[in-house]
């Protein structure tokens, strides 16, 4: 095969037949009455053509009056117009004409048109109606046995039953295929609906995650900056050196906040992160020292304790612990008062990591009942790792936040 040659369709006639069938079905769906008129007209013409004289070649009585033959030809073909809307009614009318046809001995070939209606009955109506359809197609044959008793009865009844069975099986096969196709279409529609629902749920979860990240980044850093600014304003007149240190710490904290915000906005703004985007790892437990130093520089004394042997944890779990500690210290900065102190205890066990943050301040009034966004975000993060979070005032005064997260089994990602 050369570069300019195109692969040929191995079955062009099949493809053409399929396209033609689809066009016919589409036309039938748009104009059902037109299609019924076309089908009925075709069989009416065929019946009238046979009724002009060809019927005498097979008739038991060639002397049947021509007007009666014409009426029977119409009676065996015109009811096809109702084959889809009232198939049993159409078959009943044709069975009555077929009875006259067999009794008179005309034996018109148009009597075979009734099997078109039988096909529609098998295709559209409940299967229990096939018994009545079988009686309507075979009982008229008894008129031939009574009026023209030549040969055994099975020579007339058995071929009729065989024709009925074959047409019925064909209708059931087409019906099964249509039902299967409809089931596939419905399944595809359900999958599309479920896909849209999953997309909406994922978008809602992503919005909630972004809101938590924005709250943690902006809320904490602004609280630290506010504390540093207040301390610098007090020290400006008495100790210019301390005021300069406060301004330096404000600049450092602002740059850190901008870096984290830029990283988050880069993820939101691009479906595929560009190579030039600054990649900053998510905060982890190793970053608690810098977090505590920033809080201390803002004026909140923090004592850190560690119990147990630190164990490697999943990155998402470390981020959750970091954010909870960040939120707890930020709340102390905002609501604890000028003389508040804080203590951070990180305890490692074989099955869980526990973090306890206590302070001696007044407590967060807006979060005392869990209505603030801070505590809601902490609880959502904790729930992702099946942990527990307790937050509330201490009996001796101050506030306590206790986080316990089980360590997952298996290799750490």
């Amino acid at each position: 095969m050369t570069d300019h040659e195109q692969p040929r369709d191995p079955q062009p006639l099949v493809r053409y037949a399929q396209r033609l069938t689809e066009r016919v079905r589409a036309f039938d769906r748009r104009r059902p009455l037109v299609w019924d008129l076309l089908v009925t007209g075709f069989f009416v013409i065929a019946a009238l053509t046979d009724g002009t004289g060809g019927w005498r070649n097979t008739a038991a009585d060639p002397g049947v009056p021509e007007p009666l033959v014409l009426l029977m030809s119409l009676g065996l073909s015109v009811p096809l117009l109702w084959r889809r809307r009232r198939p049993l009614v159409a078959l009943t009318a044709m069975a009555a004409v077929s009875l006259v046809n067999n009794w008179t001995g005309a034996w018109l070939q148009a009597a075979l048109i009734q099997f078109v209606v039988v096909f529609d009955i098998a295709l559209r109506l409940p299967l229990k109606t096939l018994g009545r359809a079988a009686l309507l197609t075979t009982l008229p044959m008894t008129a031939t046995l009574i009026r023209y008793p030549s040969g055994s009865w099975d020579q007339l009844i058995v071929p009729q039953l065989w024709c009925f069975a074959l047409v019925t099986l064909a209708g059931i096969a087409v019906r099964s295929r249509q039902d299967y196709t409809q089931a596939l279409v419905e399944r595809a529609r359900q999958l599309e609906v479920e896909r849209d629902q999953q997309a909406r749920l994922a978008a809602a979860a992503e919005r909630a995650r972004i809101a938590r990240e924005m709250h943690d980044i902006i809320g904490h850093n602004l609280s630290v900056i506010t504390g540093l600014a207040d301390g610098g304003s007090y020290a400006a007149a008495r100790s210019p050196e301390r005021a300069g240190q406060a301004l330096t710490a404000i600049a450092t904290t602002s740059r850190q906040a901008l870096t984290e915000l830029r990283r988050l906005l880069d993820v939101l703004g691009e479906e595929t992160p560009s190579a030039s985007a600054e990649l900053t790892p998510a905060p982890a437990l190793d970053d608690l020292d810098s977090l505590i130093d920033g809080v201390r520089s803002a004026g909140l004394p923090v004592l850190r304790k560690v119990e147990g042997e630190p164990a490697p944890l999943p990155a998402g779990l470390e981020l959750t612990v970091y954010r909870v500690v960040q939120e707890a210290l930020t709340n102390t900065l905002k609501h604890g008062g000028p003389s508040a102190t804080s203590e951070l205890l990180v305890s490692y066990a074989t099955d869980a990591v526990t973090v306890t943050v206590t302070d001696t301040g007044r407590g967060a009034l807006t979060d005392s009942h869990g209505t603030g966004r801070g505590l809601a975000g902490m609880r959502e993060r904790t729930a992702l790792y099946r942990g527990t979070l307790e937050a509330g005032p201490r009996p001796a005064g101050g506030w306590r936040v206790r986080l316990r997260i089980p360590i997952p089994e298996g290799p750490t990602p």
Side-chain angles (χ1 to χ4, degrees):
M1 180 182 295
T2 64
D3 295 339
H4 299 286
E5 290 181 351
Q6 298 293 334
R8 295 182 177 180
D9 191 347
Q11 295 178 331
L13 293 179
V14 175
R15 299 287 183 266
Y16 176 77
Q18 289 177 347
R19 291 193 297 269
L20 182 61
T21 303
E22 289 299 327
R23 291 177 182 175
V24 172
R25 288 176 178 174
F27 178 79
D28 185 23
R29 287 191 293 267
R30 294 193 305 268
R31 301 287 190 271
L33 181 58
V34 174
W35 182 252
D36 288 340
L37 289 173
L38 291 175
V39 172
T40 304
F42 171 80
F43 282 103
V44 167
I45 294 174
L48 292 177
T49 301
D50 180 64
T52 58
W55 61 276
R56 292 189 177 90
N57 297 326
T58 58
D61 183 7
V64 179
E66 291 289 341
L68 180 58
V69 172
L70 177 62
L71 290 176
M72 287 191 296
S73 298
L74 294 175
L76 291 170
S77 57
V78 172
L80 278 181
L81 188 61
W82 297 278
R83 63 185 177 87
R84 292 197 287 190
R85 289 173 292 177
R86 296 289 187 270
L88 271 179
V89 175
L91 185 61
T92 302
M94 297 172 74
V97 179
S98 180
L99 180 63
V100 177
N101 177 46
N102 292 331
W103 183 262
T104 59
W107 293 0
L108 298 176
Q109 298 299 313
L112 297 176
I113 299 176
Q114 62 185 328
F115 288 109
V116 178
V117 182
V118 171
F119 178 85
D120 278 274
I121 291 176
L123 181 65
R124 306 176 192 282
L125 297 185
L127 297 180
K128 62 182 180 180
T129 58
L130 292 176
R132 277 182 282 175
L135 291 177
L136 290 174
T137 55
T138 56
L139 283 181
M141 301 301 296
T142 59
T144 302
L145 294 176
I146 296 173
R147 186 72 184 274
Y148 304 98
S150 59
S152 60
W153 65 272
D154 57 334
Q155 292 178 348
L156 293 174
I157 301 299
V158 173
Q160 191 81 352
L161 291 176
W162 271 111
C163 291
F164 178 84
L166 292 176
V167 172
T168 300
L169 289 176
I172 293 175
V174 175
R175 178 178 188 168
S176 300
R177 182 175 179 82
Q178 289 180 351
D179 292 342
Y180 178 71
T181 303
Q182 185 176 1
L184 290 179
V185 172
E186 179 63 21
R187 177 59 178 167
R189 188 192 65 82
Q190 292 179 355
L191 290 176
E192 185 177 356
V193 172
E194 292 176 2
R195 181 199 63 190
D196 294 340
Q197 291 177 347
Q198 292 295 330
R200 287 193 293 269
L201 291 176
E206 185 66 12
R207 285 194 297 269
R209 185 189 70 81
I210 293 170
R212 288 196 301 266
E213 291 292 332
M214 295 289 287
H215 173 270
D216 293 336
I217 294 171
I218 297 176
H220 168 73
N221 288 287
L222 285 181
S223 297
V224 172
I225 290 172
T226 301
L228 289 171
D230 290 341
S233 63
Y234 291 134
R238 300 179 182 180
S239 178
E241 181 180 355
R242 294 290 301 275
Q245 294 176 354
L247 292 175
T248 301
I250 289 175
T252 302
T253 303
S254 299
R255 281 193 293 269
Q256 292 177 353
L258 287 175
T259 299
E260 293 190 45
L261 285 176
R262 190 177 295 113
R263 175 178 61 85
L264 184 60
L265 293 176
D266 285 341
V267 173
L268 294 178
E270 298 183 5
E271 295 182 359
T272 303
S274 61
S276 61
E278 182 179 359
L279 300 179
T280 305
L285 293 182
D286 294 338
D287 299 307
L288 285 179
D289 291 335
S290 60
L291 173 66
I292 293 174
D293 291 340
V295 173
R296 286 171 179 167
S297 63
L300 175 64
V302 179
L303 176 63
R304 179 184 180 185
K305 297 181 180 179
V306 178
E307 295 181 353
E309 186 68 23
L313 302 175
L317 193 150
E318 290 197 12
L319 176 61
T320 297
V321 175
Y322 179 91
R323 291 304 188 194
V324 170
V325 173
Q326 183 185 55
E327 181 64 28
L329 295 178
T330 301
N331 285 338
T332 301
L333 270 176
K334 291 191 293 186
H335 309 292
S339 60
T341 61
S342 182
E343 179 178 323
L344 169 63
L345 173 61
V346 181
S347 177
Y348 295 95
T350 58
D351 59 341
V353 57
T354 303
V355 177
T356 305
V357 182
T358 57
D359 63 56
T360 59
R362 298 191 299 262
L365 299 179
T366 58
D367 281 347
S368 60
H369 299 289
T371 57
R373 189 171 186 83
L375 276 181
M378 287 194 289
R379 289 194 173 95
E380 290 175 2
R381 291 182 180 275
T382 305
L384 292 177
Y385 291 92
R386 296 180 297 176
T388 57
L389 180 72
E390 300 174 2
R394 301 167 60 195
W399 195 263
R400 187 187 76 151
V401 175
R402 184 178 183 274
L403 168 70
R404 185 182 186 277
I405 297 182
I407 299 176
E409 299 179 356
T412 302

